[in-house]
């Protein structure tokens, strides 16, 4: 194996975190800001990219970091290495929003898994976090994830986020699943991913579900999230007061009722 072999345990129900066990000289790489806690004896280092090209000189490091710019991520990741000579040490990483953490054993998926740009949480040192370009113009323009998605490659463990509740669907050859474009977490490399027009004037203009579905055609495995972070953020932003005036959601009397029920009081 080229990736470090790590053990793990996922805790929690809706606000999960993953605890990773590192033997001496084993390491894990994680997105900046996902760190939760660690035992004594683990050293933390900021690295360019995913660390897969750290031994290939400055060009390798720049190439690895450049891939992360294209996927909208930070230039840097954080590496956690067990430098202790006294056995196993543990480090934990938390999901940034309510939902599930999905363990991905890349050896079960022939060494490659494709996911949305902000799904990756952490992985064993040696797993490559790269970019997957869409070869279809329509999918890139209207697919919700754009022309670029992330691909995780290697033979180690990786962990991705899913907002809300996660659904795992195993599609048979030729079987098609239609999904809201923002609800895709990731899928195996044999899945044929495209977009489809919803159809119908009323559906398009007044349906409230967008103009396009994502279509996922088997064979392969697909992970779907019930609450994409973009949808959650949109609802929060829509409920914020504008110009000092709230939407009056706290009372059936609207903004007048807010004066009596404790919301937005003087």
């Amino acid at each position: 194996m080229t990736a470090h072999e790590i053990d793990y345990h996922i805790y929690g129900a809706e606000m999960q975190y993953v605890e990773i066990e590192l033997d001496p000289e084993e390491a894990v790489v994680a997105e900046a800001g996902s760190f939760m806690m660690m035992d004594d004896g683990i050293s933390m280092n900021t690295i360019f990219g995913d660390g897969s090209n750290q031994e290939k000189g400055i060009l390798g490091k720049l190439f690895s970091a450049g891939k992360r710019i294209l996927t909208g991520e930070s230039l840097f990741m954080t590496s956690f290495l067990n430098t202790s000579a006294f056995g196993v040490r543990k480090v934990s990483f938390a999901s940034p929003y309510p939902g599930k953490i999905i363990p991905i054993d890349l050896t079960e998926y022939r060494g490659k898994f494709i996911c949305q740009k902000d799904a990756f949480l952490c992985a064993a040192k040696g797993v490559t976090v790269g970019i997957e370009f869409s070869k279809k113009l329509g999918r890139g323009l209207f697919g919700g994830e754009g022309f670029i998605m992330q691909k995780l490659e290697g033979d180690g463990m990786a962990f991705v986020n899913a907002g809300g509740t996660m659904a795992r669907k195993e599609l048979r050859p030729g079987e098609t699943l239609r999904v809201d474009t923002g609800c895709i977490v990731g899928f195996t490399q044999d899945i044929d991913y495209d977009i489809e027009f919803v159809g119908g004037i009323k559906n398009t203009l007044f349906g409230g579900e967008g103009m396009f579905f994502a279509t996922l055609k088997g064979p392969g495995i697909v992970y779907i999230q019930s609450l994409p972070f973009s949808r959650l953020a949109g609802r929060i932003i829509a409920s914020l007061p504008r110009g000092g005036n709230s939407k009056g959601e706290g009372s059936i009397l609207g903004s007048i009722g807010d004066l009596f029920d404790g919301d937005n009081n003087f």
Side-chain angles (χ1 to χ4, degrees):
M1 293 182 66
T2 59
H4 293 190
E5 188 173 358
I6 59 175
D7 297 315
Y8 71 93
H9 190 90
I10 295 175
Y11 293 93
E14 302 303 329
M15 294 292 289
Q16 294 187 329
Y17 73 93
V18 57
E19 180 183 78
I20 295 177
E21 297 182 357
L22 299 176
D23 292 327
E25 299 305 315
E26 283 186 345
V28 61
V29 294
E31 285 290 354
S34 62
F35 168 70
M36 179 179 173
M37 60 183 173
M38 64 181 178
D39 292 341
D40 188 29
I42 293 180
S43 66
M44 182 175 67
N45 295 292
T46 300
I47 59 176
F48 274 110
D50 56 22
S52 60
N53 291 317
Q54 297 301 294
E55 289 77 34
K56 297 183 179 179
I58 187 64
L59 290 180
K61 294 180 181 180
L62 289 175
F63 177 74
S64 180
K67 292 186 298 183
R68 293 179 56 74
I69 294 177
L70 290 174
T71 56
E73 302 291 349
S74 167
L75 280 172
F76 302 95
M77 295 182 73
T78 309
S79 172
F80 297 83
L81 173 67
N82 182 359
T83 58
S84 173
F86 302 101
V88 173
R89 293 292 183 267
K90 299 177 181 179
V91 58
S92 300
F93 305 96
S95 178
Y97 45 82
K100 303 296 182 182
I101 296 176
I102 306 171
I104 303 294
D105 186 349
L106 291 172
T107 60
E108 296 181 358
Y109 300 134
R110 292 185 290 125
K112 182 178 178 180
F113 184 81
I114 301 167
C115 59
Q116 64 172 326
K117 290 183 289 186
D118 59 350
F120 174 72
L121 181 67
C122 61
K125 183 71 177 293
V127 171
T128 300
V129 184
I131 56 176
E132 180 77 8
F133 285 100
S134 172
K135 298 181 177 66
K136 298 181 180 181
L137 179 62
R139 190 176 91 181
L141 292 176
F142 307 112
E145 304 301 337
F147 287 99
I148 300 173
M149 299 181 74
Q150 284 185 329
K151 63 179 177 182
L152 309 176
E153 292 182 299
D155 54 9
M157 290 295 305
F159 301 87
V160 296
N161 301 302
T165 300
M166 183 274 295
R168 182 184 186 273
K169 298 291 185 179
E170 188 166 353
L171 303 181
R172 299 185 298 271
E175 184 178 5
T176 299
L177 182 69
R178 292 176 175 84
V179 183
D180 181 273
T181 56
C183 288
I184 299 173
V185 178
F187 46 85
T188 54
Q189 56 185 303
D190 292 329
I191 290 289
D192 183 12
Y193 168 46
D194 206 345
I195 60 103
E196 177 182 314
F197 183 61
V198 171
I201 298 298
K202 289 190 296 182
N203 290 336
T204 302
L205 296 180
F206 309 112
E209 301 298 339
M211 298 175 62
F212 299 92
F213 294 128
T215 60
L216 303 161
K217 186 176 182 180
I221 296 172
V222 180
Y223 289 93
I224 307 297
Q225 58 187 347
S226 66
L227 183 60
F229 179 72
S230 58
R231 182 182 297 176
L232 175 63
R235 292 296 179 92
I236 293 174
I237 293 172
S239 66
L240 292 176
R242 292 179 174 85
N245 296 320
S246 73
K247 297 174 63 176
E249 295 175 331
S251 168
I252 60 173
L253 299 178
S255 58
I256 296 177
D258 287 341
L259 298 176
F260 300 96
D261 66 9
D263 292 334
N264 300 318
N265 278 344
F266 297 105

